[in-house]
Amino acid sequence: MIRTAPCHQFHIQTAIIGAGVVGLSVARALSKKGHEVLLLEQSNAIGSGISSRNSEVIHAGIYYDKNTMPLKSKFCVEGKQLLYDYCRDRHIPYRRCGKLLVATDTEQRDVGLPKLVDYAKTNGVHDLQILSKEDIAVYEPNVVCTGGVLSPSTGIVDSHAFMTSLLADAEEHGATLALHCRVEGGKPVPINSGEKGSIVLDVDGEEIYCDNVVICAGLATDTIASSILSSCTKAKEDGSSSNNGNRASSSEGSTQIPKQYYAKGNYFKLENQKAPFSRLIYPLPDPKGGLGVHATIDLTGSTRFGPDVEWLDKDTDNPDDIDMNVDPNRAESFYAAVRKYWPDLKDDNLVPDYSGVRPKRLHPALGNVDGNGSNHPNDFLIAGPEQHGVKGLTVLLGIESPGLTSSLAIGNYVAGAIE
């Protein structure tokens, strides 16, 4: 069922805000568990936010230090297998094409690559193969490097077909999709109000009473969550006890949610040259916060390069204000980055393609600061009542790469945490 008009006041067991790949995965997992699920999406289609603007890569689980990024390392490895199995069973287009992670100098070869292999082994990824530059030349003759690592379990997927299938699964188990429904905010339901539910959402000026709310709204997650949590703070300041009955029993709960910051990633596509690679080609991770300007092939055989890392101002609050156009002037840095491993790239053959925005829990202007100190700011944050103190509320923050790969695992985790 698809709504195209504002929602009217009613009660629902579980509302999920955001119909991107993670929201759809949560909806699927909860509806299969028997929950009455309402999936709220402000756009006119599913997966039209940050889920539509990525590389469509199925990651192996190489980059994530288990000590500082336990959720990314866990969900990426679990989600990879779940995703491959799902695509095979549902006939979703995908290809297990493999990836070469290449070093472009001796330090990267002798220090950087072994470090990533160690991360991968700790995460349970044991299929990596360390290769010499001569080995690389056999796999990908157009690559120039000092050595590399082959990841055979990395792949690519048709993310839109995947999301469409997730929606079909959720709806088959009774979930309802409501499009054109913008969540303006919400607040805990006062215990003495006589109303059902733990949280009331403001959706286009109408009220929806919910037992559970899962916020996985991408770039807008922190704003929506803060609206709900700030009402608790205001009630405290006013000396009101009406909201306290819907607070979690944990004395550790805090009414603060870390702010998300935005890192734009731009892509350029290759034109007027034959596609040079049969696999994904990745340099070592970018110290600015990304995985480096890598070469991605899609299921049609086209090649694109990106994303880079373009930090937006730390005070940027409204995702709707972000200019998603790719600045052609950024091509200069792309040529320099790509030619480190593919020097045969010719002038004028990179054309602006599209951009995406990563929700980050840190910003270089501020340093590695976590708003509530619950875990490392490079990791995902899934905050339930134990973290923020509001009954029935689950908040998913910083769900960037490897969010697509991790989506099914995240959905199962969230469903398991909600009664």
Side-chain angles (χ1 to χ4, degrees), residues 102-256:
V102 298
T104 55
D105 58 43
T106 55
E107 182 178 359
Q108 288 185 352
R109 180 194 65 194
D110 298 337
V111 179
L113 287 178
K115 185 177 181 180
L116 290 177
V117 171
D118 287 343
Y119 284 162
K121 288 180 179 178
T122 302
N123 294 341
V125 180
H126 299 290
D127 61 353
L128 301 186
Q129 303 171 37
I130 298 180
L131 303 176
S132 67
K133 65 179 182 180
E134 292 79 14
D135 296 328
I136 297 288
V138 174
Y139 283 100
E140 295 289 351
N142 293 311
V143 171
V144 174
C145 64
T146 58
V149 169
L150 172 64
S151 170
S153 63
T154 301
I156 52 178
V157 63
D158 184 337
S159 62
H160 294 279
F162 174 48
M163 288 187 283
T164 299
S165 183
L166 291 174
L167 175 61
D169 285 350
E171 290 184 326
E172 182 181 355
H173 289 88
T176 298
L177 171 65
L179 298 174
H180 298 288
C181 285
R182 187 181 187 93
V183 178
E184 305 290 350
K187 59 185 178 182
V189 176
I191 194 170
N192 59 355
S193 67
E195 298 286 354
K196 293 182 179 179
S198 302
I199 298 167
V200 56
L201 296 177
D202 176 359
V203 184
D204 292 323
E206 304 291 342
E207 293 184 332
I208 301 179
Y209 288 80
C210 316
D211 295 338
N212 305 290
V213 171
V214 182
I215 308 177
C216 34
L219 304 180
T221 292
D222 56 333
T223 300
I224 298 171
S226 294
S227 168
I228 296 171
L229 295 173
S230 64
S231 66
C232 299
T233 303
K234 185 175 185 301
K236 277 185 175 182
E237 292 172 349
D238 292 344
S240 170
S241 61
S242 60
N243 284 331
N244 293 344
N246 278 336
R247 301 271 297 166
S249 59
S250 171
S251 61
E252 301 298 321
S254 166
T255 57
Q256 294 183 351

